[in-house]
Amino acid sequence: KMNDDLKAKLTDDEYNITQLKGTEAPFTGRYLNNKEPGIYKCICCQSDLFSSEHKYDSHSGWPSFYDVINSNNIKLITDRSHGMTRTEVVCNHCGAHLGHVFNDGPKPTNTRYCINSVSLKFKNE
Protein backbone atom coordinates (compact mmCIF):
# COMPACT_ATOMS: atom_id res chain seq x y z
CA LYS A 1 0.00 0.00 0.00
CA MET A 2 2.69 2.49 1.03
CA ASN A 3 4.65 1.67 -2.14
CA ASP A 4 1.61 2.25 -4.36
CA ASP A 5 0.99 5.62 -2.71
CA LEU A 6 4.64 6.59 -3.18
CA LYS A 7 4.70 5.38 -6.77
CA ALA A 8 1.72 7.63 -7.50
CA LYS A 9 3.23 10.61 -5.68
CA LEU A 10 6.83 10.40 -6.96
CA THR A 11 8.31 10.71 -10.43
CA ASP A 12 9.97 7.61 -11.89
CA ASP A 13 13.40 9.05 -11.01
CA GLU A 14 12.34 9.89 -7.46
CA TYR A 15 10.91 6.40 -6.98
CA ASN A 16 13.90 4.61 -8.51
CA ILE A 17 16.39 6.51 -6.37
CA THR A 18 14.55 6.65 -3.03
CA GLN A 19 12.96 3.18 -3.12
CA LEU A 20 15.27 1.13 -5.37
CA LYS A 21 18.54 2.76 -4.21
CA GLY A 22 19.40 4.29 -7.57
CA THR A 23 21.75 7.22 -8.16
CA GLU A 24 21.23 10.31 -10.29
CA ALA A 25 23.94 11.04 -12.84
CA PRO A 26 26.68 13.32 -11.48
CA PHE A 27 26.37 17.06 -12.20
CA THR A 28 22.67 16.72 -13.18
CA GLY A 29 20.87 17.28 -9.86
CA ARG A 30 18.59 20.30 -9.50
CA TYR A 31 20.14 21.25 -6.15
CA LEU A 32 23.81 20.80 -7.05
CA ASN A 33 24.41 24.54 -7.48
CA ASN A 34 21.59 25.80 -5.26
CA LYS A 35 22.92 28.57 -2.98
CA GLU A 36 19.57 29.69 -1.52
CA PRO A 37 19.11 29.63 2.27
CA GLY A 38 16.72 26.93 3.39
CA ILE A 39 16.06 23.37 4.45
CA TYR A 40 16.40 20.19 2.41
CA LYS A 41 13.61 17.76 3.28
CA CYS A 42 12.95 14.12 2.40
CA ILE A 43 10.99 14.01 -0.89
CA CYS A 44 8.92 11.09 0.48
CA CYS A 45 7.96 12.13 4.03
CA GLN A 46 9.08 15.78 4.35
CA SER A 47 11.44 15.17 7.32
CA ASP A 48 14.04 17.92 7.75
CA LEU A 49 17.39 16.45 6.69
CA PHE A 50 19.97 19.09 5.73
CA SER A 51 20.42 22.84 6.04
CA SER A 52 21.84 25.17 3.40
CA GLU A 53 24.24 26.31 6.16
CA HIS A 54 26.03 22.95 5.95
CA LYS A 55 26.07 22.68 2.13
CA TYR A 56 29.36 23.06 0.30
CA ASP A 57 30.83 22.41 -3.14
CA SER A 58 32.66 19.08 -2.96
CA HIS A 59 33.19 18.95 -6.77
CA SER A 60 31.84 15.37 -6.61
CA GLY A 61 28.82 16.04 -8.82
CA TRP A 62 26.19 15.72 -6.09
CA PRO A 63 24.89 18.13 -3.45
CA SER A 64 27.18 17.72 -0.44
CA PHE A 65 26.67 18.61 3.20
CA TYR A 66 29.11 18.38 6.10
CA ASP A 67 26.40 17.91 8.74
CA VAL A 68 22.74 16.97 9.23
CA ILE A 69 19.97 18.99 10.88
CA ASN A 70 19.17 16.22 13.36
CA SER A 71 20.98 12.89 13.51
CA ASN A 72 17.71 11.21 14.55
CA ASN A 73 16.30 11.99 11.08
CA ILE A 74 18.83 9.87 9.20
CA LYS A 75 20.05 6.30 9.48
CA LEU A 76 23.42 5.01 8.28
CA ILE A 77 23.63 1.53 6.78
CA THR A 78 26.67 -0.43 5.58
CA ASP A 79 26.32 -0.85 1.79
CA ARG A 80 28.41 -3.57 0.15
CA SER A 81 26.87 -3.27 -3.34
CA HIS A 82 28.89 -2.65 -6.51
CA GLY A 83 31.98 -4.40 -5.12
CA MET A 84 32.78 -1.72 -2.52
CA THR A 85 31.94 -0.92 1.08
CA ARG A 86 30.24 2.42 1.60
CA THR A 87 27.88 3.92 4.15
CA GLU A 88 24.39 4.48 2.80
CA VAL A 89 22.33 7.40 4.14
CA VAL A 90 18.57 6.80 4.44
CA CYS A 91 15.71 8.78 5.94
CA ASN A 92 15.14 7.38 9.42
CA HIS A 93 11.40 8.07 9.23
CA CYS A 94 10.47 6.44 5.91
CA GLY A 95 13.59 4.54 4.79
CA ALA A 96 14.10 6.51 1.56
CA HIS A 97 17.58 6.16 0.04
CA LEU A 98 19.27 9.56 0.08
CA GLY A 99 22.88 8.87 -0.90
CA HIS A 100 26.12 7.98 0.86
CA VAL A 101 28.38 9.52 3.48
CA PHE A 102 32.17 9.69 3.32
CA ASN A 103 34.85 10.81 5.78
CA ASP A 104 36.60 13.22 3.40
CA GLY A 105 34.55 16.36 4.11
CA PRO A 106 35.61 19.72 5.52
CA LYS A 107 36.14 20.63 9.16
CA PRO A 108 34.66 20.60 11.73
CA THR A 109 33.01 17.24 10.93
CA ASN A 110 35.30 15.87 8.16
CA THR A 111 32.09 14.40 6.79
CA ARG A 112 30.66 14.54 3.25
CA TYR A 113 27.02 13.60 2.91
CA CYS A 114 26.80 13.02 -0.84
CA ILE A 115 23.06 13.23 -1.53
CA ASN A 116 20.89 12.79 -4.62
CA SER A 117 18.92 15.97 -5.45
CA VAL A 118 16.04 13.71 -6.48
CA SER A 119 15.74 12.46 -2.86
CA LEU A 120 15.31 16.01 -1.57
CA LYS A 121 12.70 18.75 -1.57
CA PHE A 122 14.09 22.23 -0.91
CA LYS A 123 12.14 24.70 1.20
CA ASN A 124 13.34 28.33 1.19
CA GLU A 125 13.75 29.98 4.59
Side-chain angles (χ1 to χ4, degrees):
K1 174 92 183 93
M2 173 72 167
N3 255 1
D4 289 345
D5 291 347
L6 273 177
K7 215 167 173 83
K9 188 176 95 166
L10 301 174
T11 67
D12 287 349
D13 276 352
E14 289 166 352
Y15 187 85
N16 288 338
I17 288 171
T18 62
Q19 304 308 302
L20 307 177
K21 303 189 187 305
T23 302
E24 68 194 6
F27 301 102
T28 63
R30 66 181 176 245
Y31 298 132
L32 178 62
N33 298 309
N34 184 26
K35 306 271 193 263
E36 300 287 314
I39 302 293
Y40 294 86
K41 297 172 168 286
C42 175
I43 191 86
C44 298
C45 73
Q46 310 304 310
S47 290
D48 291 352
L49 300 172
F50 300 97
S51 166
S52 58
E53 291 174 35
H54 301 133
K55 189 172 185 281
Y56 73 101
D57 188 355
S58 67
H59 306 286
S60 66
W62 290 274
S64 298
F65 305 87
Y66 64 82
D67 209 352
V68 295
I69 287 179
N70 182 333
S71 58
N72 292 330
N73 290 354
I74 63 154
K75 185 161 75 175
L76 304 179
I77 300 170
T78 300
D79 172 5
R80 293 195 171 84
S81 66
H82 306 295
M84 54 186 142
T85 300
R86 298 178 293 172
T87 303
E88 180 188 6
V89 182
V90 300
C91 176
N92 198 32
H93 298 283
C94 73
H97 172 75
L98 304 171
H100 289 86
V101 64
F102 303 93
N103 60 2
D104 60 4
K107 292 187 177 348
T109 62
N110 300 316
T111 304
R112 172 170 57 99
Y113 290 90
C114 191
I115 306 297
N116 293 290
S117 288
V118 167
S119 301
L120 301 172
K121 182 179 183 71
F122 181 71
K123 180 129 175 47
N124 280 85
E125 286 184 329

